[in-house]
Amino acid sequence: MNLKKFKKYLEEKDDEFLRDEILTLYKTFDVVREYYDPRIEPQSIIEIAQKYKAILEEQFCPLRGFPELKYSVARKAISDFKKVCRDPTAIIDLQLTYVEYGVKCTLQYGDIDERFYSSMESMFRTSLEDMEEHGLLDMFEARCEEIQEKTSDMGWGFGIAVTDLYEEYFTVAK
């Protein structure tokens, strides 16, 4: 079914039916609750973000065993979070958490591979772009500086790339 047909279907329903449908969706699907909870109770976004941070932690810094490094799972967590959260601060926080867990993973397990570092660099760049777009560079500068300091000696050109990005955004911003 396409969107046009769905709109027509909804137009034929009364308000009570639509309320009942939304309540059923809310009770049935976690993602619907995650979508509405922050709109009703903005502080609930912290709890919701924790779920997605746990997914990132499991991919890069599991409590047991070696990291799985399933980038698709980690990136999907961020993508899914963006679908339920409209707060740029919370989204950037999660994106930086991705990079921070990646840095922690490298420090704990040693040098990884080019794909890993490309993924981390890409997420760091995206985070910085989003910070600049939303005027949040000052809010996240300390975390970015810590990432830059911890990565300065890392291989595959990662440390250099992070330093270049950090200097590009924070030297210009000052």
Side-chain angles (χ1 to χ4, degrees), residues 4 125 150:
K4 186 176 178 179
R125 177 181 292 106
K150 287 181 177 181

Side-chain angles (χ1 to χ4, degrees), residues 59-78:
Q59 293 309 306
F60 299 117
C61 304
L63 296 175
R64 294 183 180 173
F66 290 102
E68 294 185 41
L69 300 179
K70 292 183 181 174
Y71 310 112
S72 61
V73 171
R75 286 190 174 270
K76 184 176 183 320
I78 292 171

Side-chain angles (χ1 to χ4, degrees), residues 92-110:
I92 293 166
D93 174 62
L94 189 65
Q95 292 170 332
L96 278 182
T97 299
Y98 178 101
V99 178
E100 290 165 337
Y101 280 142
V103 171
K104 183 178 177 183
C105 179
T106 298
L107 293 172
Q108 188 168 354
Y109 297 101

Side-chain angles (χ1 to χ4, degrees), residues 22-95:
I22 292 171
L23 287 170
T24 300
L25 291 170
Y26 184 86
K27 289 186 266 184
T28 307
F29 299 103
D30 289 342
V31 71
V32 175
R33 279 192 297 282
E34 288 176 0
Y35 179 82
Y36 280 105
D37 285 354
R39 285 155 179 78
I40 298 163
E41 296 178 329
Q43 70 277 11
S44 69
I45 199 65
I46 295 166
E47 291 174 26
I48 295 167
Q50 283 308 119
K51 170 189 167 186
Y52 292 95
K53 286 181 180 184
I55 294 168
L56 298 179
E57 183 176 29
E58 183 61 30
Q59 293 309 306
F60 299 117
C61 304
L63 296 175
R64 294 183 180 173
F66 290 102
E68 294 185 41
L69 300 179
K70 292 183 181 174
Y71 310 112
S72 61
V73 171
R75 286 190 174 270
K76 184 176 183 320
I78 292 171
S79 175
D80 288 350
F81 184 67
K82 287 179 178 180
K83 291 175 186 173
V84 299
C85 176
R86 294 182 181 167
D87 178 9
T89 303
I91 293 168
I92 293 166
D93 174 62
L94 189 65
Q95 292 170 332

